[in-house]
Amino acid sequence: GQQVMQIPQYQHVQEGEDFTTYCNSSTTLSNIQWYKQRPGGHPVFLIQLVKSGEVKKQKRLTFQFGEAKKNSSLHITATQTTDVGTYFCAGPGANDYKLSFGAGTTVTVRA
Amino acid sequence: GAVVSQHPSWVICKSGTSVKIECRSLDFQATTMFWYRQFPKQSLMLMATSNEGSKATYEQGVEKDKFLINHASLTLSTLTVTSAHPEDSSFYICSAGDEQYFGPGTRLTVT
């Protein structure tokens, strides 16, 4: 079955620094989605990437979808304390809508 | 739009009892709803796909007789954890629709 791998599992960042989390799929994805889960909260949808090589920005967040549609990245610039949480990528199966989630990258920020 | 609610938001029950969790799509109809489970510091794992008017589809390793799913209407799916044990303590999250709008989750603690 499809597997979505995500690294790093933990990211401890100095406030103001940048960081990137990476997501790789064992199969080609029709799309990839990114979610953020704050401590104690539920996953909140951030974005969906569909096109090969697509790049989308949300303020300090930049999302990329690889040319082969098997990998994706989330880059956050000038990290703030509000960025704390776990970021998950997720991709649907080949023949259905079921999402396979990556392990998540848990981000902590030191002021 | 696209709001999904869950009830209860948290529940504590005794070992051996059953607990019912509701997932509702408030402003849209959902033929399909998904049930996930998330253990502490882990990713979301799909348990089952709930289909309105038909039997749920369970993921490998999920006991259908223990986790009863009913999707009797286009806006409501229920998950009943039967004969709950402490190892069933987890965060149960539903999502609704092909776009998978997530509910706020239900935190179950079995004592």
Side-chain angles (χ1 to χ4, degrees):
Chain A
Q2 174 185 281
Q3 289 187 338
V4 177
M5 291 149 286
Q6 193 173 351
I7 57 169
Q9 187 175 0
Y10 298 99
Q11 185 81 55
H12 191 51
V13 187
Q14 176 72 44
E15 191 173 18
E17 288 185 342
D18 303 350
F19 76 89
T20 304
T21 172
Y22 301 90
C23 189
N24 288 285
S25 169
S26 56
T27 60
T28 301
L29 299 169
S30 58
N31 68 78
I32 195 159
Q33 301 171 29
W34 285 89
Y35 294 80
K36 177 181 179 181
Q37 184 176 25
R38 294 182 183 276
H42 64 282
V44 174
F45 175 80
L46 293 177
I47 207 161
Q48 176 177 280
L49 304 172
V50 179
K51 299 178 182 177
S52 168
E54 188 171 14
V55 178
K56 286 188 176 180
K57 290 190 175 184
Q58 289 181 350
K59 297 183 179 179
R60 296 178 294 103
L61 278 61
T62 301
F63 303 84
Q64 291 190 335
F65 200 9
E67 294 290 340
K69 301 182 75 173
K70 295 180 72 173
N71 58 74
S72 181
S73 65
L74 160 59
H75 181 78
I76 299 182
T77 59
T79 304
Q80 299 177 0
T81 54
T82 53
D83 296 325
V84 164
T86 301
Y87 295 83
F88 293 98
C89 61
N95 300 311
D96 54 37
Y97 297 104
K98 293 191 293 187
L99 286 178
S100 178
F101 279 79
T105 295
T106 298
V107 176
T108 54
V109 179
R110 59 181 182 272
Chain B
V3 178
V4 177
S5 70
Q6 275 185 247
H7 178 79
S9 55
W10 60 270
V11 57
I12 301 173
C13 72
K14 292 186 176 180
S15 187
T17 61
S18 296
V19 174
K20 179 185 284 188
I21 303 170
E22 294 184 348
C23 177
R24 292 181 186 274
S25 56
L26 298 185
D27 51 3
F28 67 103
Q29 294 182 330
T31 305
T32 305
M33 292 185 175
F34 302 88
W35 286 97
Y36 295 84
R37 180 167 52 182
Q38 185 180 34
F39 292 108
K41 299 187 185 300
Q42 294 189 22
S43 188
L44 282 76
M45 296 300 295
L46 180 65
M47 298 175 65
T49 303
S50 172
N51 303 295
E52 187 269 336
S54 64
K55 292 183 179 180
T57 305
Y58 290 82
E59 295 301 300
Q60 191 172 7
V62 178
E63 300 174 57
K64 62 179 181 180
D65 294 331
K66 179 171 179 62
F67 298 99
L68 302 178
I69 292 174
N70 185 284
H71 194 158
S73 79
L74 288 171
T75 59
L76 173 65
S77 175
T78 61
L79 167 68
T80 301
V81 183
T82 63
S83 187
H85 290 110
E87 56 265 32
D88 297 324
S89 298
S90 187
F91 193 41
Y92 291 86
I93 311 170
C94 72
S95 68
D98 296 340
E99 298 83 3
Q100 297 215 35
Y101 300 103
F102 279 86
T106 296
R107 202 165 296 279
L108 170 64
T109 302
V110 185
T111 61

